[in-house]
Amino acid sequence: MIDCGEGSQIQMARFHVGYRHLDSIFISHMHGDHVLGLPGLMSTFCLLGRTADLNIIGPEGLGDFVDFINKTFCKEKTYKVNFFPVLDDCVSKPVFEDKTTEVYAIPLRHRIQCYGYLFREKANKPHIIREMTDFYGIPYYAYNSIKDGKPWTTEDGEIVPAERLTRPAEPPRAYAYISDTAPSHVVAENVVNVDLLYHEATFGKDNIKRAEETYHTTAAQAAEIATSCHVHRLIIGHFSSRYKDETPLLEEAQAIFPNTVLAEEGKTYTI
Amino acid sequence: MIDCGEGSQIQMARFHVGYRHLDSIFISHMHGDHVLGLPGLMSTFCLLGRTADLNIIGPEGLGDFVDFINKTFCKEKTYKVNFFPVLDDCVSKPVFEDKTTEVYAIPLRHRIQCYGYLFREKANKPHIIREMTDFYGIPYYAYNSIKDGKPWTTEDGEIVPAERLTRPAEPPRAYAYISDTAPSHVVAENVVNVDLLYHEATFGKDNIKRAEETYHTTAAQAAEIATSCHVHRLIIGHFSSRYKDETPLLEEAQAIFPNTVLAEEGKTYTI
């Protein structure tokens, strides 16, 4: 989960998103609309008797908040919270990783300390070609070493290179989430070629002055970043409540970067 | 406002309840479903530039929570928060009062420190009978002293008793909010004759064992309290999510105390 505004657990129920796979929560910054769903979620996890660890990643101030919630609302602890503060070297070194993914934090330009997150899938291992392994009578236990590139030696002493037994994996995917921020070259340098970029577009270019004052981005600026960084697809979101209809923002972005879509509540975007 | 669960500000918007008259928030206890809407509300007040004081009343631990919210989410303070902790003498001495109302806290029987609240309207002053004051030519500035019971002396020296110039005020109203608690004699002693009693009824009598274990009340028990205390009307609420349809709980209570209604989201109950 990336950011957790008030009512997140209510929205999850509404859209039938289960808690089972929610292992890690990334927080961009300590403004209420990005973090105030955390106490409710953490206290619900206690009530449900969650046992799996929960990883929380975010700016250093978040640690105090998490401690306070834990102390105040999760008195009967059933699970462990691991807090990972974002540090200064966050662009070059993953702030968090698991078996499949590395996550980097990108310092943004907002009124308070704020980070975007870049999710990079680790290189996938190649796929075994079952017809070939069956042909050579290769046992299952050898699959992992073949995937790692080791050749197979048959009983007759024939050496079969791994490339003949496997087909290449899909290229690893990358997703970047960038909110809240004024347009930033640090973002641009770090989201080059990502498959999917979520970038805030709080205002349209008609409100560029207000965007500058409040450290936000316009739809046109978000689209320019997407273009210059050669991202595959752009989602814009975090719209100011002054826009009752976001179509003009979408059109403004699409005029510069056609493959733009609006962030819509409850919608799933596949990478 | 009494209690402030997660999403309270969202519900207020949904039911078109404005912030303008929200001066005081009473919190029963420090469980998430009763207090986790406070950070969002307080931080929204900052964003909106609220200037009126906000009174927050609740158990002593709430003070730390309010301080933490203030420090973390209300950095640009625009209004003052006055915190009134509930003290040991809360049943006999108002924990809070304003021009029209005195509020008492009632210690409840829950898993953690928890209070109900009793709102007693102060005695209203009698109403001036305009026909009578006009008849005697009594000027406006004398109305307040007449309302306070002082007689009026005419130019001819006639003494007109205040009772002849006024009709009695409506009797002061009382409302009690009782949640979360196991059935309690302290409650019963303090809600005698109230016009409206909100009492939790988390379970039906079929789940009385579970009610006892979790320090909650059944619909039947809430109705028994209403009966023995001669309250005028009973609202039951705080239903366990296991009840998809609350009609059986209503019927269970009405069998004992007919003037019972269900607490319904968004509904207004007039006292």
Side-chain angles (χ1 to χ4, degrees), chain A residues 219-233:
Chain A
Q221 290 169 332
E224 278 155 16
I225 291 168
T227 305
S228 70
C229 297
H230 310 286
V231 311
H232 178 62
R233 189 162 48 142

Side-chain angles (χ1 to χ4, degrees), chain B residues 94-106:
Chain B
V95 63
F96 181 79
E97 67 179 301
D98 65 11
K99 266 200 324 206
T100 63
T101 311
E102 285 180 340
V103 188
Y104 299 84
I106 302 172

Side-chain angles (χ1 to χ4, degrees), chain B residues 33-99:
Chain B
D33 54 330
H34 293 254
V35 74
L36 286 180
L38 213 45
L41 207 57
M42 287 175 61
S43 100
T44 294
F45 286 160
C46 278
L47 290 176
L48 295 176
R50 177 190 178 110
T51 53
D53 281 15
L54 179 68
N55 305 309
I56 299 181
I57 299 94
E60 284 202 285
L62 179 62
D64 291 340
F65 187 48
V66 168
D67 285 347
F68 192 92
I69 299 167
N70 243 327
K71 195 179 70 188
T72 313
F73 298 105
C74 307
K75 284 193 171 142
E76 289 156 40
K77 277 176 197 45
T78 61
Y79 67 99
K80 200 176 138 217
V81 175
N82 306 313
F83 176 63
F84 300 83
V86 177
L87 303 174
D88 285 344
D89 57 355
C90 60
V91 175
S92 54
K93 204 178 134 199
V95 63
F96 181 79
E97 67 179 301
D98 65 11
K99 266 200 324 206

Side-chain angles (χ1 to χ4, degrees), chain B residues 8 26 119 147 155 159 176 213 223 251 264:
Chain B
S8 287
F26 299 82
F119 298 78
K147 284 183 176 183
E155 283 183 6
I159 293 171
E213 283 163 11
E251 288 169 356
E264 285 173 55

